[in-house]
Amino acid sequence: MKDRTAFIFSEELLKYKFNSHHPFNQFRLKLTVDLLNKLNALDPNQIVAPRMASEEELTLIHHPDFIEAVKKAGSGQLSKEIAENYGLGTEDTPMFPNMHEASSLLVGGTLTAVDYVMTGKALHALHLGGGLHHGFRGKASGFCIYNDSSVAIKYLLEKYNARVLYVDTDAHHGDGVQWSFYDEPNVCTLSIHETGRYLFPGTGNINERGQGAGYGYSFNIPVDAFTEDESWLYAYTHAFREVAEFFKPDVILTQNGADAHYYDPLTHLSATMNIYREIPKLAHEMAHQYCSGRWIAVGGGGYDIWRVVPRAWALIWLEMTENPNCYGALPHEWVDYWQKKAGVELPKEWNDPKNLYPPIPRKEEITEKNNLTLEKALYPIRSQKKSESI
Ligand SMILES: [Zn+2]
């Protein structure tokens, strides 16, 4: 299996860069790759360079006017007034030189992963540069310009005629991907995120279930602020297993934003490395159970780029390659080298310490609330199953 995994990467991916103080920082890709290298867990033969998505491929999802605007923005030719209509030049999604090319490469990386998996060149593929789930058809949003996952799913439908299950564990709702396929019955989206009550983008309610022919193929589990590992994992495990059994996908695409961690500066969940160990494990199992192994994983959010993202993302690759070398101490060469540059104390182990944060006072109430949310979100599947068994 080890030979049949693809790691989509090149340093060019780091050109997706808004400015030096923006929280979305692709330097985390480099930190992750270096962690894997220090572990001897990444063979050069497994690395595949991302290709550029063509404009025709971008139009699978994006409006040509929006693509034109992004191109102009990247060469400094878009006025601030017009840019705003396309969600560009905002504080969240500023304009930067060559943004069209940088964004097209992120999309192309996910398409490269898709082609590797669907042609059987790889069983699993990981593209940590992707996962920009907030991008809309005609508008940039929430650090995302083009939506690589939406383009890749449309490409999977058209080129490979595949039924796609999209599972999004970023702390933010996977709104862009959900709305792209809201009326599409061959794409099932499942997003587990912090409730939109206090967090961008505000959507992702249980009752967003799809429309028309796509009704019943959109699932949302909005968990409460301060949710901890156990409750989060209970929701994730039940939702993923039951939705996969219900939908029976041909391929699974997982979005692996690593911003549900307690340390993440932009969100309010209280998860630890435990969830990042379990997330890829279950995805891997489901891919083998339903899809002959076809699993594509992308990155996403993750704003503690030193203490959280490298470990969380390395664990995806280690799971994909069935590498058990992910317990106990981190390679000290990695810690020693980056400690000088980090500005925060780096973790020394794969797991977080047990007393990472003070006890959460409303723990029980939060757990109960999340269980109720899960119950409501999965009600259509569970009631259908019940009536079939009578
Ligand atoms: Zn996020």
Side-chain angles (χ1 to χ4, degrees):
M1 217 124 304
K2 214 171 165 178
D3 318 332
R4 300 186 59 205
T5 42
F7 188 94
I8 316 298
F9 180 74
S10 83
E11 300 247 346
E12 298 281 299
L13 290 167
L14 275 74
K15 291 186 175 164
Y16 189 91
K17 187 175 163 84
F18 296 106
N19 53 54
S20 55
H21 52 269
H22 196 283
F24 188 94
N25 186 349
Q26 290 294 52
F27 192 70
R28 59 208 176 131
L29 295 173
K30 215 177 150 109
L31 294 172
T32 306
V33 168
D34 191 57
L35 178 55
L36 291 169
N37 280 333
K38 299 265 157 71
L39 265 182
N40 286 318
L42 191 55
D43 191 302
N45 295 319
Q46 294 169 313
I47 301 176
V48 179
R51 66 173 173 86
M52 276 286 191
S54 68
E55 262 186 71
E56 202 187 331
E57 287 166 337
L58 295 176
T59 58
L60 286 168
I61 290 294
H62 294 291
H63 196 285
D65 292 351
F66 174 53
I67 299 172
E68 266 329 293
V70 174
K71 280 171 126 175
K72 276 192 182 162
S75 55
Q77 293 175 62
L78 196 67
S79 73
K80 196 148 171 49
E81 292 71 38
I82 296 176
E84 264 172 29
N85 297 334
Y86 296 104
L88 298 167
T90 61
E91 200 183 324
D92 270 7
T93 318
M95 298 187 259
F96 64 92
N98 302 313
M99 63 193 294
H100 168 74
E101 291 74 14
S103 308
S104 298
L105 189 67
L106 298 200
V107 177
T110 305
L111 296 177
T112 305
V114 164
D115 283 329
Y116 261 70
V117 167
M118 298 311 287
T119 58
K121 271 202 246 175
L123 199 52
H124 316 309
L126 176 60
H127 176 230
L128 293 169
L132 281 81
H133 60 173
H134 298 306
F136 293 115
R137 175 171 158 77
K139 199 165 185 168
S141 170
F143 317 158
C144 306
I145 301 164
Y146 300 139
N147 191 321
D148 59 290
S149 299
S150 285
V151 173
I153 293 170
K154 189 81 182 180
Y155 183 79
L156 277 162
L157 289 174
E158 295 206 343
K159 186 167 178 193
Y160 296 105
N161 197 23
R163 280 167 70 76
V164 187
L165 173 59
Y166 171 80
V167 180
D168 185 320
T169 50
D170 193 287
H172 300 90
H173 176 225
D175 56 347
V177 181
Q178 172 180 296
W179 304 127
S180 293
F181 303 102
Y182 211 49
D183 54 8
E184 174 54 71
N186 290 310
V187 177
C188 183
T189 61
L190 165 62
S191 179
I192 303 169
H193 45 264
E194 179 183 331
T195 162
R197 238 168 305 156
Y198 318 103
L199 190 68
F200 179 89
T203 49
N205 289 314
I206 308 169
N207 60 8
E208 292 164 24
R209 296 193 186 274
Q211 69 185 14
Y215 185 81
Y217 296 99
S218 164
F219 294 91
N220 284 291
I221 323 278
V223 298
D224 242 35
F226 306 109
T227 291
E228 297 173 85
D229 290 344
E230 215 185 356
S231 180
W232 194 96
L233 281 171
Y234 184 85
Y236 170 70
T237 309
H238 282 268
F240 200 162
R241 284 189 187 280
E242 291 177 44
V243 168
E245 192 200 354
F246 154 78
F247 185 66
K248 298 193 173 59
D250 298 320
V251 56
I252 295 173
L253 172 60
T254 60
Q255 193 273 15
N256 295 271
D259 49 4
H261 194 281
Y262 178 77
Y263 282 150
D264 195 90
L266 299 192
T267 67
H268 320 97
L269 299 175
S270 299
T272 75
M273 288 314 293
N274 290 336
I275 76 164
Y276 296 109
R277 195 179 280 288
E278 298 304 321
I279 288 168
K281 231 184 242 176
L282 183 60
H284 196 185
E285 183 192 331
M286 293 294 97
H288 280 283
Q289 188 168 337
Y290 294 101
C291 311
S292 313
R294 285 184 291 270
W295 172 28
I296 297 142
V298 293
Y303 309 99
D304 191 317
I305 69 159
W306 297 101
R307 295 180 295 181
V308 177
V309 182
R311 287 185 295 166
W313 283 359
L315 284 169
I316 306 170
W317 180 248
L318 296 172
E319 174 59 38
M320 270 189 178
T321 52
E322 298 177 17
N323 185 329
N325 202 5
C326 52
Y327 294 90
L330 294 170
H332 67 86
E333 296 90 344
W334 184 84
V335 179
D336 294 347
Y337 184 81
W338 295 110
Q339 185 58 75
K340 290 167 231 141
K341 305 187 167 65
V344 278
E345 198 189 335
L346 292 179
K348 311 239 171 356
E349 305 210 342
W350 285 98
N351 287 346
D352 286 318
K354 286 214 160 48
N355 56 350
L356 185 72
Y357 55 82
I360 306 288
R362 291 171 48 243
K363 187 184 181 103
E364 245 174 85
E365 193 188 324
I366 292 168
T367 303
E368 262 171 50
K369 221 165 155 190
N370 289 342
N371 287 349
L372 200 64
T373 298
L374 179 72
E375 186 86 39
K376 282 188 196 156
L378 298 181
Y379 177 75
I381 299 181
R382 289 178 173 174
S383 59
Q384 189 193 338
K385 236 183 130 181
K386 223 175 186 175
S387 68
E388 278 168 3
S389 66
I390 289 171

